[in-house]
Amino acid sequence: MTNAQFGELPLNEESAVELCVYSPDGKTVAVGLDNHKICVYSTSDWETLWTSKGHSDILTRIAYSPDGNQIATSSWDYTVQIWNILTGDCLHVLDGFDGGVIGVAFSLQGDQLASASHDRRVKLWDVKSGECSHIWIGHTSTVYGVAYSPKGDQILSYSHDCTLRLWSTETNKCLHVLRGHDEPIENAVYSPQGDQVASASDDHTLRLWDVLTGECRHILRGHGDYVNSAIYSPNGKQLAYTCGDHTARLRDAGTGMCLHVLQGHTNIVRKVMYSPQGDMVVSASDDKTIRLWDTTTGVCIQTLTGHSGAVSSVDLSPQGDKIASGSKDKTVRIWDVRAGTPSRPVSSGHTGVVYQIKHSPRGDIAATCSADTTVRLWDIQTGVCHQTLRGHTGEVIRVEFSPQGDQIATASYDYSARLWNVDTGECTHSMAGHDFTIWNMAYEAQGVQLASTSSDHTVKLWDVTSAECRRTLTGHTDWVKGTVYSPSGNRIVSYSGDRTVRIWDVETGQCYFTLCGHGRFNALLYSPQDNQIAAADSDSTVRVWDVGTGECRHIF
């Protein structure tokens, strides 16, 4: 493209551009304008191939045929029109609708077209003849869109009536009605494998559905006033947690009384941590800042600025005098707590988002893991990266030091966990066994065992010397988000997308208690006294349970 910069489309239109779609081969671009016109351009020289005003009302969708030779356009003028992409000839005007047409989609072979309309109907059209071949009736309100499955044997429709429907293109029957959303569904898509459908709704949830059974497998929340992270103070008397309203809160762990609402961040607060002395809380936010708070007064002591992207991870040194932060700006910063300024130069080196940062037990090393598939070890005093750990084939989303600090465990989207020697940077073991992504890991107190949690609904306990899986804990019916060992090491607690927390015996694998809540748990921790656990819930509560009885003691 001569005289064009990446990210620009050097075209001057006579009206606002509402739609812009590339052809499958990238050789043309079709543009829908606010004045109801359609313009098609050649991407080799950005010359106009043709301009036509065939519709008499707002354009809602442009869809290319799989071979790129035709486009279908839908409009609020109650029609769908099919165009020859080279000549601009209108081949067919598909009418017979009783309302505006909002969505269109070509079949994989391009011989069939599906339409979604305000008249609550889904229609199938023969592209060659322009004839309507079938009408599906079932939705009770506007149908917003349609999509063909990857195999072409199904069509998905989604509607203002809060439901999705799966239709068979072979038998023309409705296979499933997917119910569960509380508000209209704005978009829905098939997975590339065609075994799952994802739907997005005005009810602030994303739902994942099993195409074969029509069952909802997952409800992904977090767009409202949710609880995202929670932690106990070192003495176990106080609890800090973050909320979706851009605040963090401090509560008395014994009575559940709210002590302070920490206000000041202007975007989502991702994490909170206590200082070793418990007199300060550190919060990290998507507003690109880190804030330090006095736990007695709830006053913000310092705001650390410098990152140019959301702060995705933060960690305090064991001494409490240094803070390490990782950001979506692909940098790591190390801050002096007393001065409130970076004590070391910005540590850049990762070429992807930094997901997590952890200090070694001695506090002399910081480990970072990144979307660039690597783990880096940084010298806290000099800010220099002295080891880059390579081996994972997917984004590395979790890193943990062993209690002794001589070993690191990492988890990746490549479905594996790895163990590394901190001194040499050598990968000593690769632990494969989970069937899906590993989300969390935890060492037990002595460092001889490692627990991992996964989307495959299991928790696995590994011997860190041999890397053998000693036990697989089964019982959860959805992905297991995280796990934590009790301070004594004889129990382990897991929390899952199935809305339960489970307490397990490490030696036997027996599940002592299954603790139920009202939402999906986002974080969990043991009290230092080993007698209770606290879990942050997506229903905007924190629940505290008695470990010995399994009873819920408090709901904050």
Side-chain angles (χ1 to χ4, degrees):
M1 293 184 291
T2 306
N3 300 323
Q5 297 180 3
F6 183 79
E8 292 183 347
L9 194 62
L11 310 174
N12 295 314
E13 301 294 355
E14 60 189 63
S15 181
V17 177
E18 300 291 340
L19 304 168
C20 186
V21 183
Y22 266 98
S23 64
D25 59 10
K27 293 182 179 180
T28 62
V29 165
V31 175
L33 303 180
D34 188 58
N35 63 4
H36 316 156
K37 285 187 178 181
I38 304 158
C39 298
V40 176
Y41 297 88
S42 168
T43 58
S44 61
D45 54 13
W46 291 110
E47 292 295 324
T48 303
L49 294 179
W50 54 270
T51 300
S52 179
K53 185 175 182 179
H55 288 287
S56 59
D57 207 335
I58 298 171
L59 293 164
T60 59
R61 195 67 55 94
I62 298 175
Y64 270 91
S65 62
D67 60 11
N69 292 331
Q70 295 177 339
I71 59 170
T73 56
S74 58
S75 168
W76 279 105
D77 66 5
Y78 294 20
T79 70
V80 173
Q81 299 184 17
I82 301 176
W83 308 81
N84 182 298
I85 200 66
L86 296 179
T87 66
D89 292 335
C90 182
L91 305 176
H92 297 291
V93 176
L94 314 182
D95 53 18
F97 296 98
D98 295 325
V101 188
I102 305 174
V104 286
F106 276 96
S107 64
L108 301 185
Q109 294 76 26
D111 59 340
Q112 194 178 67
L113 190 75
S115 62
S117 171
H118 186 64
D119 64 13
R120 300 174 292 179
R121 298 174 180 178
V122 176
K123 292 188 176 186
L124 294 186
W125 304 84
D126 184 281
V127 171
K128 187 175 182 179
S129 67
E131 296 293 326
C132 179
S133 58
H134 194 76
I135 301 175
W136 282 318
I137 299 174
H139 284 295
T140 59
S141 190
T142 302
V143 185
Y144 286 142
V146 286
Y148 277 87
S149 66
K151 294 180 181 179
D153 57 341
Q154 286 184 6
I155 287 178
L156 159 71
S157 60
Y158 50 96
S159 169
H160 188 271
D161 66 9
C162 309
T163 71
L164 304 93
R165 288 176 179 257
L166 303 182
W167 312 87
S168 171
T169 58
E170 297 172 352
T171 65
N172 290 329
K173 292 182 178 180
C174 180
L175 302 173
H176 297 292
V177 179
L178 312 182
R179 305 181 192 275
H181 282 297
D182 299 322
E183 296 290 340
I185 300 166
E186 298 295 339
N187 199 9
V189 292
Y190 276 98
S191 65
Q193 297 77 20
D195 59 342
Q196 191 177 77
V197 163
S199 58
S201 167
D202 289 342
D203 65 9
H204 297 178
T205 70
L206 181 74
R207 289 176 181 251
L208 304 182
W209 309 83
D210 186 290
V211 169
L212 184 62
T213 64
E215 295 179 3
C216 181
R217 293 301 189 188
H218 302 287
I219 304 174
L220 309 183
R221 306 178 189 273
H223 303 91
D225 188 12
Y226 61 93
V227 180
N228 188 54
S229 176
I231 190 169
Y232 275 99
S233 61
N235 63 11
K237 295 182 179 180
Q238 202 178 78
L239 193 67
Y241 62 95
T242 67
C243 296
D245 59 5
H246 307 170
T247 68
R249 295 168 190 263
L250 305 184
R251 286 188 180 269
D252 185 290
T255 66
M257 180 186 298
C258 183
L259 305 174
H260 301 290
V261 179
L262 311 182
Q263 296 177 315
H265 283 296
T266 58
N267 209 327
I268 296 171
V269 183
R270 295 293 179 183
K271 188 174 182 179
V272 285
M273 292 191 71
Y274 277 94
S275 62
Q277 297 77 25
D279 58 343
M280 183 178 71
V281 162
V282 178
S283 59
S285 169
D286 280 4
D287 66 8
K288 308 175 188 178
T289 71
I290 299 156
R291 287 179 177 254
L292 313 184
W293 309 83
D294 185 289
T295 57
T296 302
T297 64
V299 172
C300 179
I301 308 167
Q302 186 81 36
T303 300
L304 310 181
T305 60
H307 280 297
S308 59
V311 183
S312 50
S313 183
V314 68
D315 196 36
L316 269 164
S317 65
Q319 295 77 23
D321 59 339
K322 298 289 189 299
I323 294 173
S325 59
S327 167
K328 290 186 178 180
D329 64 10
K330 305 179 184 179
T331 68
V332 177
R333 289 175 181 256
I334 299 173
W335 310 81
D336 187 295
V337 171
R338 290 180 295 272
T341 57
S343 62
R344 295 290 174 264
V346 174
S347 302
S348 60
H350 283 297
T351 58
V353 173
V354 179
Y355 284 126
Q356 193 181 27
I357 183 166
K358 279 293 181 74
H359 278 93
S360 65
R362 295 190 300 271
D364 56 338
I365 298 173
T368 56
C369 60
S370 169
D372 64 9
T373 73
T374 70
V375 176
R376 289 177 179 259
L377 305 184
W378 308 85
D379 187 289
I380 292 296
Q381 296 301 316
T382 65
V384 173
C385 174
H386 61 82
Q387 292 278 9
T388 300
L389 313 183
R390 293 184 172 89
H392 282 294
T393 58
E395 298 181 11
V396 186
I397 58 175
R398 186 70 59 176
V399 60
E400 293 288 343
F401 275 95
S402 65
Q404 295 77 20
D406 58 345
Q407 188 181 73
I408 284 177
T410 58
S412 166
Y413 281 148
D414 63 12
Y415 299 177
S416 75
R418 287 176 179 254
L419 300 180
W420 310 80
N421 184 293
V422 171
D423 293 330
T424 66
E426 176 190 359
C427 179
T428 56
H429 296 290
S430 178
M431 299 178 293
H434 284 293
D435 296 326
F436 294 102
T437 300
I438 300 171
W439 290 108
N440 212 322
M441 298 179 302
Y443 279 95
E444 58 84 38
Q446 304 305 315
V448 298
Q449 192 178 80
L450 181 77
S452 61
T453 71
S454 169
S455 290
D456 64 9
H457 306 178
T458 69
V459 180
K460 289 182 179 287
L461 307 183
W462 307 84
D463 184 291
V464 299
T465 303
S466 64
E468 293 182 8
C469 180
R470 295 301 189 188
R471 194 171 301 281
T472 300
L473 309 181
T474 60
H476 283 297
T477 59
D478 206 336
W479 66 301
V480 187
K481 293 183 178 181
T483 187
V484 60
Y485 280 92
S486 63
S488 60
N490 62 342
R491 296 187 181 190
I492 191 168
V493 181
S494 58
Y495 57 102
S496 166
D498 65 8
R499 306 170 186 250
T500 68
V501 172
R502 288 176 179 256
I503 303 177
W504 312 82
D505 184 282
V506 170
E507 185 64 29
T508 65
Q510 176 187 353
C511 180
Y512 286 126
F513 300 109
T514 300
L515 314 177
C516 300
H518 294 294
R520 293 183 181 274
F521 298 102
N522 294 321
L524 183 142
L525 60 157
Y526 247 101
S527 67
Q529 293 81 10
D530 206 355
N531 62 346
Q532 66 181 21
I533 58 173
D537 198 326
S538 64
D539 66 2
S540 306
T541 66
V542 175
R543 294 168 185 270
V544 178
W545 281 282
D546 185 290
V547 173
T549 65
E551 295 180 4
C552 182
R553 294 297 190 187
H554 301 288
I555 301 177
F556 303 152

